[in-house]
Amino acid sequence: MSTKVDLAFNQNEDLNKQLVFDLKTRFKKVVLGGGEKAAAKQKEKGKMLCRERIDYLRDHDKPFVEIGAFTGEGMYKEYGGCPSGGVVAGIGYVSGRQCMIVANDATVKAGAWFPITAKKNLRAQEIAMENRLPIIYLVDSAGVFLPMQDEIFPDKEHFGRMFRNNAMMSSMGITQIAAVMGSCVAGGAYLPIMSDEALIVEGTGSIFLAGSYLVKAAIGEDIDNETLGGATTQSEVSGVIDDKFPDDKSCLDRIKYIMDKIGHYETAGFNRVPTIAPTKNEKDIYGILPADRGKTYDTMEIIERLVDGSEFEQYKEGFGKSIICGYARIDGWAVGIVANNRQLVKSKKGEMQFGGVIYSDSADKAARFIMNCNQKKIPLVFLQDVTGFMVGSRSEQGGIIKDGAKMVNAMSNSTVPKFTIIMGNSFGAGNYAMCGKAYDPRLIYAWPGAKIAVMGGEQAAKTLLQIEKASLIAKGEVITPEAEKALLDKITDRYNTQMSPYYAAARLWVDGVIDPLETRTIISEGISMANHAPIKTFNVGVIQT
């Protein structure tokens, strides 16, 4: 390795390790939820915090894949924020059974539901439904956050959709267990009662359609919350709840007991053998991935550090070189990988192709490979670092739209599970073709240096600048060079903020931001959960040839 290459590797490594350090620092802040004072109040009531409940419940010899840790980051500042969307969710194991766990965080506005809270809960349910995972709800919520009720209550993907999903999962035979460990009020009261098992903790748990204050206002009845809907009332008088428990731990122990008895169902039958660690050092990824996201690099070097034994069998290696396709194993699971090639390569006609751009031949190859993986029942992994499809007269005349549509069609109709990792850029239609969020990947995560937007920051900022300048000139304003630069800087800063993976994670455009070294675990656990659900027959529909 030359001194120049060594220097570039070290610079990349320093930057990417700093990005990972920033990721871990942000996560430590997220774990605090609503803060130490709010946590102390929960403790005074004899309650465990939501992350403590999950930690006590889950098996520690198996991974826990958190969903939406950065949900709500930077949002709702006028209301004091909503860390993690006021709910912690993730895929873990309880008594040896993989499941989805969803726990309200009562330190965040008493567990009240913001719009993003609803979106996160629905995402957790979507994952459970798609993969036939048992789901455990640890309920501790004051209900809808009233100042924003118009953004959470009435629409299709709002609060009520959760109870529709309860009913759908019940009809699908997916086990649902709910533990009322704090407040459970109004419409939220339907969630535990529409679950298969409903448990409650004495002294802290309560469930009713309307609390004592509302009852007094509505019908003039004087009654306290414990008598109205506490553990004894709802388990021994109304029979709404199945069992009551003296404290959080005994309630969680019952959930473990129940999970230990659940039977097994038909699986998808994905191929798995004993795992082999990559022979190439995974930590080298930090040095390979460029600090400058516009620079080229060898994507194969990344792939060989993610797959078992660093073994990867390419599909049509000499054709459509701007996308790499091939077969490998990740943690023993057979996978088909579709990755953007970030190198400058020569096409079959001897023309140079830009790294990270999708050309007609590459789209055609990827479509064929996706169909082959469906035929063989091999899960698909998309590694995104894409600037978009090639534009210009030559591409248009070569049928780039047709070939791009072919790839999108095959990917959209894929019935084997899809998993997406955004390693770097994720721009424009490239995001779509490489299985962005709109195309239902079972899981989608981003690395800390990822950028997600309709186009690159520099191009977008200059385009937006021209629009804003035209608007100001139309109003008769004079734009000096200094004013133009200040305007461009402002636009660039705003756009760069919106390209951040944390901006995407806050809005659940991705399921989270991860250290690249966590990628193998995420994909392996994703395939493990997907294996719970038999897949449908693949039918790609009409494709233009």
Side-chain angles (χ1 to χ4, degrees), residues 320-473:
K321 295 181 181 179
S322 75
I323 287 183
I324 296 171
C325 298
Y327 303 102
R329 290 189 182 274
I330 292 178
D331 197 23
W333 293 105
V335 296
I337 294 175
V338 181
N340 300 112
N341 189 357
R342 285 307 308 261
Q343 288 185 306
L344 285 169
V345 296
K346 280 188 178 181
S347 72
K348 60 183 182 293
K349 296 179 181 178
E351 299 160 345
M352 292 305 295
Q353 295 184 343
F354 296 104
V357 177
I358 302 175
Y359 291 78
S360 287
D361 53 357
S362 301
D364 182 75
K365 177 176 83 170
R368 179 73 179 180
F369 179 72
I370 289 166
M371 290 187 277
N372 280 348
C373 286
N374 274 270
Q375 191 76 4
K376 298 178 179 71
K377 284 178 63 173
I378 300 174
L380 284 159
V381 175
F382 291 84
L383 301 178
Q384 283 198 17
D385 194 346
V386 58
T387 53
F389 282 87
M390 191 59 191
V391 297
S393 61
R394 183 174 296 177
S395 291
E396 296 295 353
Q397 291 165 14
I400 186 68
I401 295 176
K402 176 190 69 177
D403 291 319
K406 189 187 301 182
M407 180 179 175
V408 171
N409 194 330
M411 182 271 301
S412 300
N413 284 294
S414 175
T415 56
V416 295
K418 308 185 292 275
F419 302 91
T420 302
I421 303 295
I422 303 176
M423 304 187 302
N425 299 321
S426 180
F427 296 154
N431 169 283
Y432 297 166
M434 292 293 293
C435 196
K437 183 64 183 290
Y439 294 85
D440 296 324
R442 298 292 176 100
L443 294 173
I444 176 169
Y445 282 84
W447 288 357
K451 296 182 184 298
I452 305 162
V454 72
M455 65 175 72
E458 186 178 347
Q459 305 97 302
K462 288 179 179 178
T463 302
L464 290 166
L465 175 65
Q466 296 307 314
I467 294 170
E468 293 211 23
K469 274 178 64 179
S471 175
L472 292 170
I473 291 169

Side-chain angles (χ1 to χ4, degrees), residues 130-406:
E130 199 168 30
N131 300 287
R132 291 186 173 271
L133 286 182
I135 185 166
I136 298 168
Y137 307 101
L138 306 181
V139 185
D140 194 345
S141 171
V144 168
F145 185 61
L146 289 177
M148 302 189 75
Q149 65 85 26
D150 61 320
E151 296 181 44
I152 187 176
F153 171 68
D155 209 348
K156 180 179 178 180
E157 299 295 334
H158 283 180
F159 191 68
R161 186 77 170 183
M162 186 173 65
F163 314 127
R164 174 264 192 191
N165 287 349
N166 287 143
M168 294 293 291
M169 281 190 276
S170 182
S171 72
M172 294 166 68
I174 297 171
T175 299
Q176 298 177 82
I177 303 170
V180 180
M181 311 185 84
S183 297
C184 183
V185 302
Y190 288 105
L191 184 144
I193 310 312
M194 295 185 75
S195 298
D196 304 319
E197 305 258 356
L199 317 175
I200 194 168
V201 177
E202 291 185 273
T204 57
S206 59
I207 177 170
F208 34 64
L209 290 180
S212 56
Y213 292 126
L214 185 53
V215 167
K216 174 67 174 177
I219 63 173
E221 181 182 3
D222 282 310
I223 190 168
D224 64 88
N225 282 337
E226 186 63 26
T227 306
L228 181 65
T232 299
T233 297
Q234 299 292 28
S235 63
E236 298 180 10
V237 179
S238 71
V240 163
I241 293 288
D242 297 319
D243 290 291
K244 66 177 182 177
F245 300 86
D247 54 36
D248 282 7
K249 286 187 176 180
S250 59
C251 184
L252 295 169
D253 285 337
R254 174 60 69 87
I255 295 175
K256 293 181 185 181
Y257 181 86
I258 295 168
M259 289 294 292
D260 183 53
K261 308 299 180 292
I262 296 175
H264 292 273
Y265 299 91
E266 182 185 0
T267 66
F270 300 127
N271 184 285
R272 192 179 197 185
V273 300
T275 185
I276 302 173
T279 56
K280 294 190 175 182
N281 190 349
E282 293 177 70
K283 292 181 180 179
D284 286 348
I285 291 173
Y286 297 139
I288 296 166
L289 203 64
D292 180 350
R293 301 306 306 121
K295 286 188 176 179
T296 60
Y297 62 93
D298 187 352
T299 307
M300 279 298 304
E301 292 291 335
I302 299 286
I303 293 172
E304 288 170 352
R305 284 159 177 80
L306 294 177
V307 299
D308 288 13
S310 298
E311 295 178 358
F312 181 71
E313 187 70 26
Q314 279 210 58
Y315 171 81
K316 291 192 176 184
E317 183 177 354
F319 179 79
K321 295 181 181 179
S322 75
I323 287 183
I324 296 171
C325 298
Y327 303 102
R329 290 189 182 274
I330 292 178
D331 197 23
W333 293 105
V335 296
I337 294 175
V338 181
N340 300 112
N341 189 357
R342 285 307 308 261
Q343 288 185 306
L344 285 169
V345 296
K346 280 188 178 181
S347 72
K348 60 183 182 293
K349 296 179 181 178
E351 299 160 345
M352 292 305 295
Q353 295 184 343
F354 296 104
V357 177
I358 302 175
Y359 291 78
S360 287
D361 53 357
S362 301
D364 182 75
K365 177 176 83 170
R368 179 73 179 180
F369 179 72
I370 289 166
M371 290 187 277
N372 280 348
C373 286
N374 274 270
Q375 191 76 4
K376 298 178 179 71
K377 284 178 63 173
I378 300 174
L380 284 159
V381 175
F382 291 84
L383 301 178
Q384 283 198 17
D385 194 346
V386 58
T387 53
F389 282 87
M390 191 59 191
V391 297
S393 61
R394 183 174 296 177
S395 291
E396 296 295 353
Q397 291 165 14
I400 186 68
I401 295 176
K402 176 190 69 177
D403 291 319
K406 189 187 301 182

